[in-house]
Amino acid sequence: MEEANQSVVSEFIILGLCDSWELQAFFLVTFSSLYLITVLGNLFIVVIIITDLHLHSPMYFLLANLSFIDFCLSSVTTPKMITDFLKENKTISFGGCMCQIFFGHFFGGGEMVLLVSMAYDRYVAICKPLHYSSIMDRHMCIVLVMTSWIIGFLHSVSQLALIVKLPFCGPRELDSFFCDIPLVIKLACMDTSILEMLINADSGVLATICFTLLLISYSHILFTVCLHSTDGASKALSTCTAHVTVVVLFFGPCIFIYLWPVSITWVDKFLAVFYAVITPLLNPAIYTLRNKEIKNAMKRLRSYLN
């Protein structure tokens, strides 16, 4: 009875992004370069925020955690995808597949909550400036970051618990470059329609709550800035613009992958690449290019090294 509950399939076949060796060679160089830039860019932001005393504020503390999560999120699937470009037969073990699902949802869910925390920080800074230092103290920052990790972990565990015991005994081809629940669950040897609804509801509730809180926060911020159009408010609005850009880039692919699937293979693959590879790369670029304090910190570091 115990053996009957175990998955017969010990590994899955990954079809990847394409069949052409020429395209795979191009993708190998391209994604290797993008991943290297992503890792260096996000870790650079973490290091510069830790080492520069001028950046020891709640906003940059949260930004450092966002960069670390982006580094982790990109490392869940991208290295495996890059090495698979060198292989003719692309496979992933059952355990490796479950790990990709767990850590993908762990860091993804954590980033959703962290983006809400960053929006709350900007809301307090702009709408309650006189109380900012007392509200956003060190304890609050730690609580916000720990909350994002805990919710991300609980979300990931709940997702994994629904699929890890499914019977996989027949088809084992994944038409993608990594394991994700919408693809893996279709390979189960049973009717999974109810389970799919539960999984989509799980992801949907977290994403919808976070996105709603973000909309409320930034709408309130925009309203406040419009009422008090000063230089300080304009500077704050510029910072919020970078935050909103990151939110749109992060939640856009999530909506189409999990909440509003389009069921077109090449679109799914494009969105998956954008979510797993491009978004973690764009986040440090957006904050670095639009943030004067980060630029000044880079200049101080450059002058110190010289």
Side-chain angles (χ1 to χ4, degrees), residues 245-297:
T245 304
V246 169
V247 167
V248 171
L249 291 174
F250 183 80
F251 277 90
C254 286
I255 290 172
F256 286 101
I257 292 174
Y258 298 107
L259 303 181
W260 191 11
V262 292
S263 299
I264 302 175
T265 302
W266 72 266
V267 175
D268 288 338
K269 289 183 179 181
F270 171 78
L271 291 173
V273 168
F274 193 89
Y275 175 75
V277 181
I278 307 301
T279 301
L281 169 67
L282 291 178
N283 286 356
I286 290 169
Y287 285 113
T288 302
L289 295 175
R290 294 186 60 87
N291 193 291
K292 185 178 291 186
E293 284 77 9
I294 294 287
K295 291 180 182 178
N296 291 336

Side-chain angles (χ1 to χ4, degrees), residues 58-59 62-63 66 111-127 132 136 144 210-221 239-240 243-244 247 251 287:
M59 183 179 78
L62 296 175
L63 176 58
L66 177 67
E111 181 159 342
M112 286 185 188
V113 181
L114 188 60
L115 289 172
V116 174
S117 300
M118 296 177 73
Y120 176 71
D121 171 72
R122 291 301 85 202
Y123 164 77
V124 176
I126 296 172
C127 302
Y132 180 74
M136 293 300 299
L144 290 174
C210 290
F211 194 62
T212 301
L213 291 174
L214 288 166
L215 286 177
I216 293 172
S217 298
Y218 287 118
S219 297
H220 206 293
I221 290 171
T239 303
C240 288
H243 289 202
V244 172
V247 167
F251 277 90
Y287 285 113

Side-chain angles (χ1 to χ4, degrees), residues 35 38-39 41-43 45-46 63-76 78 107-108 111 114-115 118 149 246 250 275-285 287:
Y35 179 64
T38 299
V39 170
N42 282 296
L43 291 183
I45 289 180
V46 173
L63 176 58
N65 280 274
L66 177 67
S67 292
F68 179 71
I69 288 182
D70 275 330
F71 158 70
C72 295
L73 186 61
S74 66
S75 299
V76 172
T78 308
F107 296 124
E111 181 159 342
L114 188 60
L115 289 172
M118 296 177 73
W149 286 104
V246 169
F250 183 80
Y275 175 75
V277 181
I278 307 301
T279 301
L281 169 67
L282 291 178
N283 286 356
Y287 285 113

Side-chain angles (χ1 to χ4, degrees), residues 43-56:
L43 291 183
F44 175 75
I45 289 180
V46 173
V47 170
I48 202 169
I49 289 175
I50 292 174
T51 57
D52 195 308
L53 295 177
H54 296 86
L55 300 179
H56 287 189

Side-chain angles (χ1 to χ4, degrees), residues 12 167-174 183-190:
F12 295 102
F168 296 98
C169 54
R172 58 195 184 105
E173 289 187 345
L174 294 170
L183 298 173
V184 173
I185 200 171
K186 288 182 171 60
L187 302 181
C189 302
M190 61 176 287

Side-chain angles (χ1 to χ4, degrees), residues 8-36:
V8 176
V9 172
S10 60
E11 64 179 16
F12 295 102
I13 298 172
I14 298 176
L15 299 183
L17 295 178
C18 63
D19 297 325
S20 168
W21 279 106
E22 290 78 9
L23 273 178
Q24 290 192 62
F26 171 75
F27 286 148
L28 172 65
V29 175
T30 301
F31 289 125
S32 296
S33 302
L34 291 177
Y35 179 64
L36 179 62

